[in-house]
Amino acid sequence: MTADTHSVPSGGTWVDGSAAYVVAQFQLEAMPDPDQARFHLRVRDDRLELLDRQRPGFDPLCVDFALPARLRRLRQGDSLLRRACRLRGATGPVALDATAGLGGDSLMLASFGFRVMAWERSGVVAALLADGLRRARAIPGLAGAAGRNRRRCP
């Protein structure tokens, strides 16, 4: 199972001290007792991660746009997505990604030159996406696309 296929419920998350800043910023409903929570949100190696305590063998979920597969997809471009957008001479196009998830399509649209508003309903997933975009802005090959991508959550 890849990180992109994890399901994150809105409740049942314990946020440790390293990730406490996300509770207010993303309006998370954090559980006070780590022993009662299925999920654990933490910061490790300067990235926000979500662990599923019921699947201890699985890697933590995080948004990392610098992974080789993601960089390859950005370099090649997604021709189906590009065709669906009908980019013929458009200047300054704007897109709304109303189901942003972990941001793959949002970043792809931004790499096409769109200014993207990425909307994600889940505060936990929105926090992971915001962290991934923050780190992507520091990578020369991703900085432009990441800078055209704005994230919002309820």
Side-chain angles (χ1 to χ4, degrees), residues 5-149:
T5 60
H6 282 274
S7 175
V8 181
S10 59
T13 303
W14 178 69
V15 180
D16 77 16
S18 65
Y21 69 94
V22 301
V23 173
Q25 185 178 355
F26 294 94
Q27 303 167 3
L28 300 183
E29 185 179 319
M31 296 191 72
D33 182 2
D35 294 328
Q36 299 297 317
R38 175 176 176 180
F39 296 97
H40 175 186
L41 197 61
R42 69 179 185 197
V43 174
R44 179 161 294 165
D45 298 328
D46 192 40
R47 70 179 191 188
L48 189 64
E49 298 180 334
L50 184 69
L51 293 137
D52 184 343
R53 293 169 42 116
Q54 292 182 1
R55 296 180 176 190
F58 282 71
D59 289 336
L61 176 64
C62 72
V63 174
D64 190 351
F65 293 111
L67 292 173
R70 288 204 167 196
L71 290 173
R72 190 175 324 104
R73 181 178 178 223
L74 282 173
R75 269 189 250 111
Q76 293 172 348
D78 186 327
S79 61
L80 292 176
L81 184 59
R82 187 184 294 265
R83 274 189 276 155
C85 296
R86 303 191 197 290
L87 286 176
R88 291 197 178 101
T91 57
V94 178
L96 169 66
D97 184 352
T99 57
L102 299 178
D105 289 337
S106 293
L107 195 68
M108 182 62 66
L109 288 168
S111 76
F112 296 157
F114 279 84
R115 286 181 297 123
V116 179
M117 176 63 65
W119 179 270
E120 176 51 49
R121 181 178 176 204
S122 166
V124 171
V125 176
L128 292 168
L129 174 56
D131 180 69
L133 289 170
R134 173 190 61 81
R135 287 180 287 107
R137 287 183 186 106
I139 300 170
L142 297 174
R148 286 187 296 278
N149 202 315

